[in-house]
Amino acid sequence: MVKVGIIANPISARDIRRVISHAGNLPINDRANIVLRMMTGLAASGVGEVVAMPENGGIRFHLERSIGRETRLGHMNLPHLRYLDMPVTATPEDSARAARMMAAEGVTAIVVLGGDGTNRVVVGACGGVPVAGVSTGTNNAFPELREPTITGLAVGLAATGQVPGNVACHPNKWLEVRLNDRREIALVDVAVVEDRFVGARAIWKTTGFRDLFVTFGLPQAIGMSSIAGLLDPVDRSAPEGRHIRLSPDADRQLLAPIAPGLIDRVGIAGIAVMRPGAWHSPSVPAGSLAFDGERELTFTESDKVSVRLVADAFRTIDVPACMAFAAAAGLFIRNPDQTT
């Protein structure tokens, strides 16, 4: 039986940017509805079981209630839903533990409901299992906005082998950060700020920005990567990244959407291309490091910090490619007596 994992973060999109910007909020029942729509697509593609991360935010309650109602009415034929047997701590470790457990029991793909931070945690722990992101965070540069039903169809087609792996899966870059002997990754961007504290984690005050490293930056993006997108765009599939040096006193000023409804001015001191494998250093001797929009680590003058771009670091499900292949191959064409 083909199994697909679903990691739905009930507390994504609840950082301080909800207070200082005009970002929306996604209620728990809407998150459960997204999972339900995802499961309809998985079922139509032949997935037999969904393995889910347990949580205490309410997604499970709303989801199971909806599944029970739809089953009684005979409206849906869904995959079997099973929750992992693991403790719930309401921290990012839940997502990491769930990803490790799903990989260990052989799921063929993992769907992540969250923002850039949740996807980063899952990718770092899933051990090479391909992932697909559904955008439910604050800044969603990595997970693309798309109807969950379509994502479910595409993930199911990839998981069941109906779309070949060389078509279904797309290689991705990430940023590897070394702080002395510690290693961290980022999927979209690493920001260096002068503040020597982690505090509220999410970053939004641009006056302290000094360096920005990005795997990709698109003109239509939101968040830190929008700086690269509006200055020197680089695509997800491009073989390089960008290193942008920032200074509030720079002659070159750029308006960038740092968070939903929050557009701020940043000074551009310089920009360089990041080639895979080449190490780059921050332009300040001390400060803090933010990975995909959230401060994680501080460093001082005695620490050694370096950042490099790593090509083909992990795989994602290419939803448009899967759907295009399915259409060309007639995978959704059925005989009159077929129900799925």
Side-chain angles (χ1 to χ4, degrees):
M1 180 185 295
V2 175
K3 294 185 291 187
V4 168
I6 294 182
I7 295 176
N9 182 359
I11 57 174
S12 62
R14 294 185 182 177
D15 56 64
I16 196 171
R17 288 168 294 190
R18 298 277 138 176
V19 179
I20 55 87
S21 72
H22 300 283
N25 192 22
L26 192 65
I28 288 296
N29 61 317
D30 285 346
R31 297 172 194 248
N33 184 265
I34 288 173
V35 176
L36 185 65
R37 285 141 64 191
M38 181 80 58
M39 290 179 65
T40 63
L42 292 171
S45 297
V47 173
E49 184 176 23
V50 165
V51 184
M53 178 186 77
E55 44 73 40
N56 54 18
I59 296 177
R60 180 174 184 172
F61 169 77
H62 287 283
L63 178 61
E64 291 183 341
R65 184 176 65 177
S66 296
I67 291 175
R69 181 181 64 248
E70 296 298 325
T71 300
R72 287 192 301 272
L73 295 173
H75 290 170
M76 291 183 175
N77 181 23
L78 297 173
H80 172 68
L81 176 62
R82 174 172 58 88
Y83 283 87
L84 293 169
D85 183 12
M86 54 172 273
V88 176
T89 65
T91 68
E93 178 55 29
D94 290 347
S95 298
R97 181 181 287 112
R100 289 192 293 267
M101 293 177 67
M102 290 174 182
E105 67 170 79
V107 300
T108 49
I110 298 175
V111 181
V112 184
L113 276 70
D116 296 336
T118 306
N119 279 272
R120 168 181 170 254
V121 169
V122 172
V123 166
C126 69
V129 177
V131 301
V134 177
S135 174
T136 62
T138 303
N139 289 350
N140 299 286
F142 179 76
E144 297 175 321
L145 290 170
R146 184 175 290 109
E147 164 55 41
T149 310
I150 304 304
T151 301
L153 283 169
V155 171
L157 292 170
T160 57
Q162 296 176 74
V163 177
N166 63 324
V167 175
C169 293
H170 180 75
N172 296 262
K173 305 167 279 186
W174 70 27
L175 293 166
E176 179 182 340
V177 180
R178 295 282 184 175
L179 173 56
N180 300 325
D181 294 330
R182 180 167 179 171
R183 173 187 175 273
E184 296 288 345
I185 65 167
L187 307 187
V188 182
D189 55 64
V190 173
V192 179
V193 298
E194 285 189 318
D195 302 329
R196 301 192 194 185
F197 61 87
V198 174
R201 294 172 63 88
I203 57 173
W204 75 94
K205 294 181 180 179
T206 59
T207 54
F209 293 171
R210 290 299 174 264
D211 290 276
L212 177 65
F213 305 90
V214 301
T215 57
F216 66 90
L218 306 176
Q220 69 270 25
I222 192 79
M224 294 297 296
S225 69
S226 69
I227 296 173
L230 295 172
L231 181 67
D232 188 11
V234 56
D235 194 72
R236 290 173 183 256
S237 60
E240 74 273 354
R242 298 286 185 267
H243 174 194
I244 302 171
R245 292 184 295 108
L246 306 166
S247 171
D249 301 323
D251 293 334
R252 193 179 185 187
Q253 299 284 313
L254 176 75
L255 289 176
I258 303 301
L262 178 62
I263 299 175
D264 209 347
R265 187 187 300 268
V266 292
I268 308 299
I271 184 168
V273 173
M274 296 187 73
R275 304 294 184 190
W279 290 100
H280 295 244
S281 300
S283 58
V284 292
S288 59
L289 297 166
F291 304 96
D292 293 326
E294 295 186 350
R295 275 180 293 221
E296 296 273 350
L297 301 173
T298 60
F299 64 97
T300 67
E301 291 83 355
S302 61
D303 294 316
K304 182 179 180 180
V305 181
S306 54
V307 184
R308 70 170 178 171
L309 184 73
V310 179
D312 298 341
F314 65 102
R315 296 176 300 153
T316 52
I317 303 295
D318 190 332
V319 174
C322 287
M323 299 305 290
F325 182 95
L331 297 183
F332 292 115
I333 297 174
R334 297 290 187 268
N335 296 324
D337 59 342
Q338 287 182 284
T339 58
T340 58

